[in-house]
C-alpha cells in the first residue's frame, strides 16, 4: 500500500465514524409543536436578532438533530422560504442550510426557540425534552476522588487538631 491510499482510507474511516458519533436528541425536534408552529408562521425581515435568517437556521438545526439529510433540509428550507412574504435569496437559503449541517451545532437552541415562538408563534407549546445538559457536582462524601485543594485543607485541619495553634512543629510518620 502507498501512503496516499492509506491516508485516503483513514480520512474515509474518520468521516464515517463522525456520523455515528453525532448526538441526537431523544425527542425529535422536528416533531414538536413549536417546530410546526414556526413552520406555519410568517416571519418578518427582523431588525437585529430575530428574523427570517435566525428562524430558518433554528428550523434547519431542528431538522439536523432529527436526522434529516442536508438535501431534505434544503428542500424544506426552500419550501418554507417560498411561503414567506419577503423570501430570502436562494443563495442565502443554501448558506443557512450548509451552516446548520456544518457540525458546529447539535440542534436548535432552547433560548432561540423560546424567543422565536414568543415573537412569531405565541400559541405554540413549549419545547419537550432535555435541551440543556448540566453536570451537578456530587458532595465530597459521594465522590471517589477529591481535589488537591481539599487535600490541603484536610492536612491543615489534621495538623491543627494534632498540635494546636501554639505548637512550633509536628512529628508524624508518612502514613499518619
Amino acid at each position: 500500500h502507498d501512503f496516499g491510499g492509506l491516508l485516503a482510507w483513514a480520512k474515509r474511516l474518520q468521516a464515517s465514524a463522525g456520523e455515528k458519533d453525532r448526538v441526537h436528541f431523544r425527542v425529535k425536534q422536528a416533531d414538536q409543536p413549536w417546530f410546526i408552529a414556526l413552520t406555519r408562521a410568517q416571519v418578518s425581515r427582523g431588525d437585529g436578532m430575530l428574523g427570517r435568517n435566525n428562524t430558518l437556521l433554528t428550523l434547519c438545526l431542528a431538522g439536523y438533530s432529527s436526522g434529516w439529510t442536508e438535501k431534505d433540509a434544503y428542500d424544506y428550507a426552500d419550501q418554507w422560504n417560498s411561503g414567506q412574504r419577503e423570501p430570502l435569496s436562494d443563495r442565502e437559503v443554501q448558506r443557512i442550510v450548509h451552516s446548520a449541517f456544518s457540525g458546529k451545532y447539535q440542534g436548535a437552541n432552547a433560548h432561540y426557540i423560546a424567543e422565536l415562538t414568543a415573537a412569531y408563534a405565541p400559541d405554540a407549546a413549549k419545547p419537550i425534552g432535555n435541551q440543556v445538559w448540566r453536570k451537578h457536582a456530587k458532595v465530597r462524601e459521594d465522590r471517589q476522588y477529591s481535589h488537591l485543594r481539599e487535600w490541603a485543607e484536610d492536612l491543615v485541619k489534621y495538623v491543627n487538631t494534632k498540635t494546636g495553634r501554639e505548637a512550633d512543629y509536628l512529628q508524624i510518620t508518612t502514613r499518619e
Side-chain angles (χ1 to χ4, degrees):
H1 296 283
D2 66 318
F3 180 77
L6 289 174
L7 182 63
W9 171 79
K11 286 181 179 179
R12 280 194 313 274
L13 187 66
Q14 186 176 17
S16 67
E19 282 298 311
K20 285 185 257 177
D21 295 339
R22 189 168 67 175
V23 175
H24 294 283
F25 288 86
R26 286 186 199 127
V27 177
K28 288 188 176 184
Q29 290 186 325
D31 296 337
Q32 293 192 25
W34 65 264
F35 181 87
I36 296 164
L38 282 179
T39 298
R40 295 179 182 151
Q42 284 295 317
V43 180
S44 64
R45 247 193 156 134
D47 297 325
M49 293 292 288
L50 298 175
R52 299 168 301 173
N53 290 40
N54 286 71
T55 305
L56 185 56
L57 179 63
T58 300
L59 292 169
C60 288
L61 286 170
Y64 172 74
S65 72
S66 298
W68 293 3
T69 64
E70 192 167 347
K71 184 184 180 310
D72 292 339
Y74 174 73
D75 291 342
Y76 167 81
D78 187 43
Q79 193 173 15
W80 179 84
N81 188 45
S82 300
Q84 296 298 308
R85 286 188 200 107
E86 299 178 58
L88 296 164
S89 68
D90 186 55
R91 184 179 181 132
E92 186 67 14
V93 171
Q94 289 176 353
R95 188 188 66 75
I96 290 170
V97 172
H98 184 70
S99 177
F101 281 77
S102 66
K104 295 179 189 172
Y105 311 100
Q106 293 181 354
N109 187 308
H111 174 71
Y112 280 105
I113 294 168
E115 286 194 21
L116 291 168
T117 52
Y120 301 113
D123 297 333
K126 295 194 186 288
I128 306 168
N130 293 339
Q131 297 290 326
V132 178
W133 180 82
R134 289 193 178 103
K135 181 178 179 182
H136 298 285
K138 294 179 182 177
V139 289
R140 184 166 181 203
E141 293 77 32
D142 296 341
R143 284 187 272 141
Q144 185 176 358
Y145 302 104
S146 57
H147 299 285
L148 190 58
R149 68 174 162 71
E150 291 173 334
W151 287 17
E153 291 168 3
D154 291 344
L155 184 60
V156 169
K157 248 191 248 177
Y158 179 77
V159 169
N160 285 340
T161 57
K162 284 290 190 183
T163 62
R165 296 240 174 232
E166 293 79 33
D168 293 335
Y169 68 95
L170 173 66
Q171 185 173 357
I172 56 173
T173 65
T174 307
R175 173 170 275 195
E176 288 178 315

